Every structure is written in structure tokens, then in C-alpha cells.
């Protein structure tokens, strides 16, 4: 039977497994399997050539029982409503496992940012916010960046929102530039949280991190910071990195500064000095201590799971591993740090950004990272304890912790 790679079907299958272990009552299970609400809309945009192009946009508020929905906005040519639903579900479990007073949401626009001029990109971003202004807000739903969106896009979106509502409301969007109320440490936060989680996993596994080898798939916001921080914070030797065009390998380690310089010029890591070519599939199968998928969904599937040799997999990407691959990795004894725990650093510092905006007071980067470390380490330990006590996969354990918290909030509100 071919493997179902629809991300929302995968998110639902993961929940089903956890619901069974939790013995969740059927009505609650049915309620948590579907998004609370979703918005589908068109964004008409005047292009530079004078023609009008219509882009399709989505915002899904999966569950807001624990607080306002929270989640990024993706600009991607292959965006689908099911991808947005899955990511919104994972955000719900992520804010719960990190014990943030937030729910889960996600947004997306079907577009190819590489084919848009800067002014077209600005008009798509402002158009998106015009379409969702009535549904988002500090107390309703707080967007942030994700794949192919960045602090500049958040700045345009904040500006459009504030023009429409007629007052300043910095906390309505996070991942902003620091000049507009963004938090210190936000751009590196997802990777930093992952580095803290890898440290904890290595401790559990008795692997000394200094000098251990690491491969990173994806070299965008998350992957490039992960490379730098692996080098600076944990002394891991990163021997391979990649992007959508292919990868690079050096058994003696890749210098993050050299790769960054090359990326700035070439717009890909490929052909970087002091490295040899490696394909994305070869990178995933390298004999390294730590493998970090930091690109897109469905990279470790039933087709290649058996070929993975890493001791620890740190899922910085959302949904990189399919349920069938999960079983194979578990049977092989690979220690997996599941996505919504491993990459919770981004939303945690986004929450810190909301807190700082509310108080109009800035924390410095060391305080942000210290509080992030506390949050990630506490979440990691709750999941590790659950996995050990029930002898289950870490992903199922993370679901048990998160779903129990969301279900309790739903129950207390009297929804189910
Ligand atoms: P990004 O757009 O900045 O970078 C994505 C990278 O992945 C790019 O280098 C791209 O070339 C590469 N890529 C795309 N398709 C690929 C493929 N088929 N094979 C190999 N590489 C490929 O995105 P990002 O913000 O770094 O996000 C990466 C992942 O992390 C996504 O799954 C995202 O949902 C997740 N994530 C991001 C954040 C955040 O704060 N940015 C937070 C949590 C989770």
C-alpha cells in the first residue's frame, strides 16, 4: 500500500494514535481532529506589469481553547489547505507542550516569492492582512513568519494592520524587526530551541556533543542558524548541509561563515568552497550522530527510514517524518526529538515578543535565551518522562502531554 503523504491526514493519524493511548473520550477526539475555523480568500494584486493577479490565501485557527491562536504564514507555490490545517494542528500541540497561554493557527498564500518583485511581495503581504484583519488580533490570532516569509514581510503586515485599525498594536504580529518591537533572539530562536533540545537528548543518550557529527537538511532561517549555533553553542561538527538545489559535504566540518558568504553570493549552498557535492537523500542517510531535518515535510518516509544511520534526529522542520517511518526509526533505536517539541523555540520567543510588546519593555538576548532554555528543557523533560514511563515513541509521548492539556482547557470551557 502506498504511503499517504497528505500532511493533514498524517496529523490526524498521529492524533488518533495518541487518543487511543490516552483513552480520550470519542466526542473530544472527534472535536480535536478538525480545525475550529478556517478562512479561504482571494488576494487580488496589481503586478508591476499593470495586470492584476489573484492569489489564494488561507488562515486556519485550529484550536484556541488555551489562548489566542498563534502560527506563521507561509508563502509557497505548493501550499494547500491541508498543509495549512496540519501546520495549524501542530501549532496547537506545540504551544501546549511548551505550556504557552496560546492556541494554534497557521496561514498561507499560494505564490512563488522567487518570482515576485519586492513591490509585488509587499502588495501580496498587505493584501493578506487586509483579508484577515477582522479575524486576527492580539486577543484572537497572532501571525508570525514561516517558510518564505521574514521580518520585512511582518513589518509590512503590521503596518497594514495598524493603518486599518487606526492605532499601534505591535503584539498583533511577531517575528517583526527589532526596530518595530521584535524580540532580541527571535530570528535564531527556533534553531536555539533545537540546540537546547539536542543537548538534552544527548544527555539522555549519553552522547558527548563536542566533536559529534551533524548533518542539516535545509539552509533557510532555521537551518542556517542551526549550523551557526551548533558550531558556537554545542561544538557539534556539522559535516553536511543542503538546500532545495542539493547539498555540500566535508568530513572535517563546514565553517558556517564560509557557507553563509557563499550563500549570499550564489543564493544556494551548492558549490561552496572546501566541500564536495552531496544529494539531499545522501545527506539524510549519512553516518552522523545528529541529523537535523530543517526544510519541509515528508523527507523521512517508509522508503528511506531504514537507511537512516543517525543516533539522534532533531526535527526542526514541521512534519519531516511520516508515521510509517516513525515506527522504523523507533525499532532501530534512533532517538527522535519530535517536531512540535524540537522547533517550539520560535513560538516561545514569539510569545516572549508579545509579552514584551504588552509591557513596552525590552529584554536583552541573554535573558531571552535563558528563559527559552527553561521552557524547552521543561517541555523536553515532560515528554521524556512520559515516553519512559509508558515505553512509547517520543512523538506519541509529546502528543500525550499536549493533547491532555488542550483537552482539559476544552473541557473546562464546557465545549465538549
Ligand atoms: P526557509 O524558507 O527560510 O528555508 C527553507 C529551506 O529549505 C531553504 O534552504 C530551502 O532551499 C530548503 N528546501 C526547500 N525544499 C527543500 C527540499 N526538497 N530539500 C532540501 N531542502 C529544501 O524556511 P524556515 O523558516 O527555515 O523553515 C524551515 C522549516 O522549519 C519548515 O518546516 C518550517 O515550518 C519549520 N519551522 C520554522 C520556524 C521559524 O521560526 N522560521 C519555526 C518552527 C518551524
Amino acid at each position: 500500500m502506498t504511503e499517504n503523504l497528505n500532511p493533514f491526514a498524517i496529523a490526524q493519524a498521529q492524533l488518533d494514535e495518541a487518543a487511543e493511548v490516552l483513552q480520550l473520550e470519542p466526542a473530544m477526539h472527534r472535536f480535536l481532529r478538525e480545525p475550529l475555523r478556517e478562512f479561504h480568500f482571494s488576494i487580488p494584486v496589481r503586478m508591476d506589469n499593470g495586470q492584476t493577479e489573484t492569489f489564494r490565501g488561507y488562515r486556519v485557527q485550529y484550536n484556541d481553547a488555551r489562548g489566542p491562536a498563534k502560527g506563521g504564514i507561509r508563502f509557497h507555490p505548493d501550499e494547500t489547505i491541508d498543509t495549512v490545517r496540519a501546520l495549524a494542528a501542530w501549532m496547537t500541540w506545540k504551544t501546549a507542550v511548551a505550556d504557552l497561554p496560546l492556541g494554534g493557527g497557521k496561514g498561507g498564500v499560494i505564490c512563488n516569492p522567487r518570482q515576485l518583485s519586492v513591490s509585488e511581495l509587499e502588495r501580496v503581504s498587505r493584501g493578506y492582512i487586509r483579508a484577515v484583519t477582522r479575524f486576527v488580533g492580539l486577543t484572537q490570532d497572532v501571525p508570525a513568519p514561516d517558510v518564505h516569509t521574514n521580518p520585512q514581510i511582518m513589518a509590512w503586515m503590521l503596518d497594514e494592520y495598524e493603518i486599518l485599525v487606526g492605532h499601534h498594536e505591535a503584539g498583533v504580529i511577531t517575528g517583526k524587526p527589532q526596530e518595530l518591537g521584535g524580540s532580541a533572539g527571535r530570528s535564531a530562536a527556533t534553531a536555539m530551541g533545537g540546540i537546547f533540545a539536542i543537548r538534552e537528548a544527548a544527555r539522555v543518550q549519553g552522547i558527548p556533543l563536542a566533536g559529534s557529527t551533524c548533518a542539516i537538511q535545509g539552509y533557510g532561517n532555521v537551518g542556517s542558524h542551526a549550523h551557526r549555533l551548533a558550531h558556537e553553542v554545542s561544538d557539534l561538527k556539522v559535516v553536511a548541509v543542503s538546500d532545495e538545489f542539493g547539498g555540500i559535504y566535508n568530513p572535517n566540518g563546514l565553517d558556517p561563515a564560509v557557507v553563509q558568504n557563499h550563500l549570499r553570493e550564489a543564493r544556494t549552498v551548492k558549490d561552496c568552497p572546501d566541500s564536495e557535492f552531496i544529494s539531499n537523500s545522501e545527506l539524510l542517510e549519512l553516518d552522523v550522530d545528529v541529523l537535523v531535518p530543517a526544510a519541509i515535510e515528508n523527507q523521512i518516509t517508509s522508503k528511506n527510514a531504514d537507511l537512516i544511520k543517525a543516533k539522534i534526529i532533531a526535527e526542526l522542520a514541521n512534519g519531516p517524518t511520516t508515521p510509517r517511518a516513525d515506527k522504523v526509526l523507533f525499532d532501530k533505536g534512533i532517538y527522535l526529538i519530535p517536531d512540535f517539541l524540537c522547533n517550539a523555540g520560535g513560538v516561545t520567543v514569539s510569545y516572549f515578543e508579545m509579552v514584551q510588546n504588552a509591557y513596552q519593555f525590552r529584554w536583552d538576548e541573554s535573558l531571552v535565551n535563558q528563559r527559552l532554555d527553561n521552557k524547552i528543557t521543561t517541555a523536553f523533560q515532560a515528554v521524556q518522562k512520559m515516553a519512559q514511563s509508558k515505553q512509547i515513541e517520543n512523538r506519541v509521548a509529546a502528543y500525550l502531554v499536549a493533547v491532555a492539556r488542550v483537552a482539559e482547557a476544552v473541557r473546562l470551557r464546557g465545549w465538549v
Side-chain angles (χ1 to χ4, degrees):
M1 210 169 53
T2 54
E3 201 172 11
N4 186 350
L5 297 183
N6 177 314
F8 190 48
I10 290 176
Q12 287 185 315
Q14 291 168 341
L15 174 69
D16 294 346
E17 185 173 358
E20 200 178 318
V21 183
L22 263 181
Q23 297 185 321
L24 206 61
E25 57 271 37
M28 181 69 78
H29 181 192
R30 283 196 299 276
F31 177 72
L32 295 179
R33 275 188 112 243
E34 300 292 337
L36 201 55
R37 38 186 114 75
E38 53 185 52
F39 308 99
H40 301 215
F41 42 87
S42 291
I43 307 170
V45 174
R46 185 67 49 87
M47 306 301 278
D48 291 348
N49 64 8
Q51 306 277 345
T52 298
E53 191 85 46
T54 298
F55 296 91
R56 211 56 200 147
Y58 306 107
R59 186 77 193 164
V60 173
Q61 294 166 353
Y62 195 87
N63 188 294
D64 59 8
R66 288 172 50 87
K70 184 86 192 79
I73 301 167
R74 268 187 186 197
F75 285 180
H76 202 281
D78 302 328
E79 194 65 288
T80 67
I81 182 61
D82 274 347
T83 313
V84 183
R85 285 175 180 140
L87 290 161
W90 289 327
M91 283 306 298
T92 304
W93 315 132
K94 192 181 303 188
T95 53
V97 88
D99 202 13
L100 307 176
L102 297 168
K106 203 79 184 189
V109 178
I110 306 173
C111 68
N112 188 346
R114 287 184 193 270
Q115 288 169 3
L116 297 174
S117 70
V118 173
S119 57
E120 288 167 344
L121 192 61
E122 177 175 351
R123 289 194 289 276
V124 173
S125 307
R126 289 184 183 273
Y128 183 89
I129 281 299
R130 280 199 301 278
V132 298
T133 302
R134 273 168 295 163
F135 317 119
V136 301
L138 205 47
T139 53
Q140 291 160 277
D141 181 0
V142 179
D146 197 79
V147 172
H148 292 321
T149 53
N150 57 31
Q152 174 60 75
I153 291 176
M154 297 306 110
W156 290 325
M157 289 183 167
L158 174 72
D159 184 63
E160 190 68 24
Y161 182 87
E162 291 184 340
I163 288 169
L164 288 166
V165 299
H167 58 254
H168 283 288
E169 202 176 310
V172 74
I173 203 154
T174 59
K176 304 178 290 286
Q178 288 191 39
E179 293 78 359
L180 296 182
S183 177
R186 173 60 184 88
S187 59
T190 305
M192 184 64 99
I195 292 289
F196 293 142
I198 292 170
R199 179 198 64 205
E200 293 305 304
R203 194 173 288 162
V204 169
Q205 294 293 91
I207 300 172
L209 276 188
S212 282
T213 52
C214 175
I216 302 173
Q217 186 200 37
Y219 213 76
N221 177 282
V222 176
S224 62
H225 279 298
H227 184 188
R228 180 178 61 79
L229 293 170
H231 195 72
E232 289 174 5
V233 179
S234 53
D235 216 7
L236 270 168
K237 187 163 77 174
V238 177
V239 295
V241 301
S242 69
D243 58 29
E244 66 206 82
F245 306 107
I248 52 175
Y249 174 69
N250 182 338
N252 299 316
L254 294 163
D255 183 337
V258 173
V259 181
Q260 283 287 355
N261 272 342
H262 174 75
L263 179 69
R264 255 190 299 277
E265 299 273 309
R267 301 190 70 192
T268 169
V269 298
K270 242 182 79 188
D271 303 323
C272 182
D274 295 333
S275 71
E276 56 189 82
F277 177 80
I278 187 170
S279 71
N280 265 293
S281 49
E282 286 167 335
L283 178 144
L284 295 172
E285 293 160 19
L286 275 176
D287 190 2
V288 286
D289 297 299
V290 184
L291 174 64
V292 181
I296 51 166
E297 305 89 48
N298 295 331
Q299 297 303 296
I300 305 176
T301 67
S302 55
K303 289 200 178 121
N304 62 356
D306 206 31
L307 302 169
I308 306 286
K309 298 175 195 73
K311 297 186 183 77
I312 295 172
I313 298 179
E315 292 185 329
L316 277 178
N318 284 306
T321 311
T322 63
R324 277 203 215 160
D326 267 342
K327 306 286 167 234
V328 178
L329 300 176
F330 185 66
D331 289 344
K332 280 167 70 92
I334 295 174
Y335 192 96
L336 184 129
I337 316 172
D339 50 5
F340 67 80
L341 168 65
C342 193
N343 67 30
V347 72
T348 301
V349 176
S350 272
Y351 162 65
F352 293 165
E353 186 171 324
M354 292 169 70
V355 173
Q356 293 170 77
N357 291 155
Y359 281 89
Q360 304 223 33
F361 189 79
R362 303 286 177 95
W363 305 347
D364 64 28
E365 194 168 345
S366 65
L367 182 59
V368 168
N369 286 337
Q370 183 192 321
R371 290 186 162 155
L372 173 62
D373 193 353
N374 282 342
K375 276 282 181 201
I376 296 292
T377 303
T378 305
F380 181 96
Q381 286 168 353
V383 171
Q384 166 66 18
K385 197 168 148 204
M386 180 69 82
Q388 259 196 334
S389 69
K390 294 200 180 297
Q391 288 297 302
I392 50 175
E393 293 161 46
N394 289 340
R395 190 184 315 282
V396 182
Y399 264 94
L400 296 196
V401 173
V403 172
R405 287 177 183 167
V406 175
E408 185 58 12
V410 168
R411 235 176 256 123
L412 286 167
R413 284 178 183 277
W415 290 354
V416 175

